[in-house]
Amino acid sequence: MRETKYLEFKTEITNTFLKTVSAFANYNGGEIIFGINDEGTAIGMTNPVQACLDIENKINDSIRPQPVYELEVNDKDKTVHLKVYEGNSKPYTYKSKAYRRNDTATIEVDELEFSRLVLKGRNVNYEQLPANEQNLTFNVLGALVKNEIGIEVFNKDILKTLNLYSDKEGYNIAAELLADKNSFCGIDLARFGESISVILKRETIEHMSLLSELERAIQIYRDFYQYEKIEGIEREKVERIPEQAFREALANGLIHRTWDVKSRIRVMMYGDRIEIISPGGLPAGISDEEYLKGNVSLLRNPILANVFYRLHIVEILGTGITRIRESYRDSVVKPAFEVYENSIKVILPVSDAFELTRDEAEVYKELGITASKSIGEITERVSFGRSKVAAILKRLADKHYIIIQGNGRGTKYKRNCM
């Protein structure tokens, strides 16, 4: 048995466990077992019943507000199990400080995270707070509302219906983000040439309605990843990266990102892919697996999400990943999703750049986007043997799809991302 993000061991009762109680009460809950050493071996407590009383007294005297917890004694090994539940009255503090778990360690939250806990305790999202600027105009939003929803007159009553305005508090943050002008960070877009040292285009798209930012980014995408193919008298539009995938990924980035940090969404355009990196990891209460499978949808900014849905920019809320994958249904290469604690990356590969067999595609996929791997590392992750992998790698190198680095036992392979 090992310590995890949601499980901590204590050999004895000291005040340090109270920081972890704060962390569990603030985030997702967890368990502390007293009478177990760091190696996970039970050594027991001398007097488990008295230990329960001491733990209870320390929590009641030191944690504010009172968290919900349970204490239980294991009679076999004389350990004491403290189960702490995530509470609704955040932040739960110890000595006026709030804590969170970072892998198996407990650390104090910073000022920004503390303010987020306060909002959670009030059951308020950041986008619901009053706007920094109340002198706002909505020409872009108004035009889209008239065209997409069919409303003839756009006024404050419509803004109230969209939950962007109230008589008591005026415009909220969501309204400010959708206004014609705002002070928030937007999109940092770059198009690279044969290497990241060669920048063909660089543009910062911000301080305008999110709706305008989205459309401007799509215009740039079209310049680089769409073209017309003429066959006889017919003109056919070719999408090297499906526009639906790009639109969905960027729209979801705008909808689901954290807006209380001064950080831009990064759109990195390469010859073989687009990477979209959004500030903010997953909302609390949803796992990586649930996010990637599209089983659960928790909206960080439900007001923004509803507006984008009403304007037909996104389809059914919570189906973004499914729709991105569906747009690559007939493509050999597939999109990828990487989830980090403070960001989410969506990788959209160019779908017309490769003519790969199924086996070649399997090997190419295992090379990842930037990593160099040995033939042994690749063989471990594919469904065929080393000799076949070697032959496929040679074919991919001959087609200039991959680069061979080094020689002998030190030979490694990586994608040729020109």
Side-chain angles (χ1 to χ4, degrees):
M1 190 164 51
R2 295 181 178 179
E3 289 187 317
T4 69
K5 189 173 184 178
Y6 306 106
L7 178 64
E8 184 171 82
F9 302 144
K10 293 292 183 183
T11 57
E12 56 186 357
I13 302 171
T14 63
N15 287 343
T16 58
F17 87 91
L18 294 167
K19 297 179 180 179
T20 304
V21 172
S22 164
F24 287 158
N26 285 321
Y27 303 95
N28 303 312
E31 186 174 14
I32 305 172
I33 305 179
F34 296 85
I36 293 188
N37 61 24
D38 291 339
E39 288 72 38
T41 302
I43 59 176
M45 304 293 289
T46 304
N47 188 339
V49 174
Q50 182 60 47
C52 286
L53 293 174
D54 293 342
I55 293 168
E56 184 175 357
N57 287 335
K58 284 182 178 292
I59 293 175
N60 294 345
D61 291 343
S62 304
I63 304 294
R64 295 290 181 272
Q66 183 76 49
V68 178
Y69 63 92
E70 293 179 355
L71 279 164
E72 182 180 352
V73 174
N74 186 320
D75 294 327
K76 290 184 179 180
D77 58 17
K78 296 187 180 301
T79 57
V80 174
H81 294 241
L82 169 63
K83 189 170 185 178
V84 182
Y85 295 91
E86 181 179 4
N88 296 320
S89 302
K90 302 176 178 69
Y92 293 87
T93 61
Y94 168 59
K95 292 186 176 179
S96 300
K97 298 178 180 179
Y99 293 85
R100 66 179 179 89
R101 293 285 280 177
N102 183 15
D103 292 328
T104 59
T106 300
I107 61 175
E108 183 183 350
V109 303
D110 58 24
E111 184 177 347
L112 174 60
E113 189 61 26
F114 191 92
S115 67
R116 289 175 177 171
L117 286 171
V118 171
L119 291 178
K120 287 181 181 178
R122 293 168 52 195
N123 196 28
V124 173
N125 296 313
Y126 177 75
E127 65 169 358
Q128 294 175 271
L129 296 177
N132 303 306
E133 173 63 55
Q134 290 292 320
N135 185 23
L136 304 175
T137 62
F138 298 91
N139 294 318
V140 174
L141 176 61
L144 281 171
V145 166
K146 292 176 182 178
N147 291 335
E148 298 297 328
I149 304 179
I151 294 174
E152 295 182 2
V153 179
F154 182 80
N155 52 30
K156 281 190 176 178
D157 288 335
I158 302 301
L159 290 168
K160 289 179 183 178
T161 301
L162 295 173
N163 294 315
L164 300 173
Y165 180 85
S166 71
D167 291 330
K168 181 179 180 180
E169 295 188 333
Y171 296 114
N172 55 29
I173 294 290
E176 188 171 5
L177 288 164
L178 293 167
D180 297 325
K181 294 182 180 180
N182 63 59
S183 59
F184 288 88
C185 295
I187 300 169
D188 186 12
L189 186 147
R191 164 66 177 176
F192 299 98
E194 64 271 14
S195 72
I196 59 173
S197 300
V198 179
I199 301 176
L200 301 179
K201 186 176 184 63
R202 181 72 181 271
E203 185 169 331
T204 299
I205 311 167
E206 62 185 1
H207 305 324
M208 63 181 74
S209 171
L210 299 191
L211 305 168
S212 300
E213 292 178 8
L214 175 62
E215 286 308 306
R216 175 56 186 153
I218 290 173
Q219 289 173 6
I220 298 173
Y221 147 84
R222 289 171 178 161
D223 289 341
F224 290 110
Y225 297 95
Q226 287 185 359
Y227 62 92
E228 285 190 342
K229 182 170 63 175
I230 301 174
E231 294 184 359
I233 62 171
E234 300 291 332
R235 288 178 177 265
E236 178 188 358
K237 184 176 75 172
V238 178
E239 297 179 347
R240 304 191 65 228
I241 289 176
E243 180 171 326
Q244 175 181 313
F246 180 77
R247 180 185 291 270
E248 193 79 30
L250 187 53
N252 275 275
L254 293 167
I255 291 171
H256 297 299
R257 65 155 289 176
T258 52
W259 284 105
D260 55 355
V261 294
K262 293 183 178 180
S263 180
R264 300 183 181 100
I265 293 176
R266 297 173 65 198
V267 178
M268 318 297 281
M269 295 180 166
Y270 302 90
D272 70 333
R273 70 192 188 278
I274 295 177
E275 296 181 0
I276 300 173
I277 306 166
S278 303
L282 295 178
I286 182 172
S287 67
D288 292 8
E289 183 179 7
E290 289 169 330
Y291 164 75
L292 294 173
K293 289 185 176 180
N295 293 341
V296 179
S297 176
L298 294 178
L299 300 176
R300 177 177 279 121
N301 304 299
I303 298 175
L304 282 178
N306 178 63
V307 172
F308 273 59
Y309 170 69
R310 297 283 295 274
L311 296 176
H312 308 123
I313 296 171
V314 296
E315 298 297 328
I316 300 172
L317 295 175
T319 62
I321 288 183
T322 301
R323 289 173 58 78
I324 292 170
R325 284 178 169 152
E326 179 64 20
S327 67
Y328 278 86
R329 179 178 55 183
D330 299 323
S331 175
V332 173
V333 290
K334 304 296 181 182
F337 307 87
E338 298 178 2
V339 180
Y340 304 95
E341 183 176 359
N342 296 307
S343 66
I344 294 175
K345 179 191 288 187
V346 180
I347 304 168
L348 304 176
V350 168
S351 58
D352 73 337
F354 307 96
E355 295 179 0
L356 303 179
T357 66
R358 189 176 298 275
D359 290 344
E360 288 172 343
E362 185 175 348
V363 171
Y364 185 83
K365 177 183 177 182
E366 291 308 326
L367 285 172
I369 294 297
T370 58
S372 299
K373 291 185 179 180
S374 68
I375 189 171
E377 291 173 315
I378 299 167
T379 303
E380 289 178 357
R381 299 180 64 86
V382 297
S383 58
F384 31 81
R386 185 184 183 95
S387 59
K388 185 173 181 178
V389 170
I392 290 173
L393 287 170
K394 185 179 185 307
R395 291 202 301 270
L396 292 174
D398 291 342
K399 295 177 182 178
H400 304 290
Y401 293 162
I402 68 171
I403 296 172
I404 301 176
Q405 299 175 319
N407 53 63
R409 292 186 176 181
T411 301
K412 291 199 171 185
Y413 306 84
K414 67 174 291 185
R415 293 188 187 183
N416 185 5
C417 297
M418 294 192 300

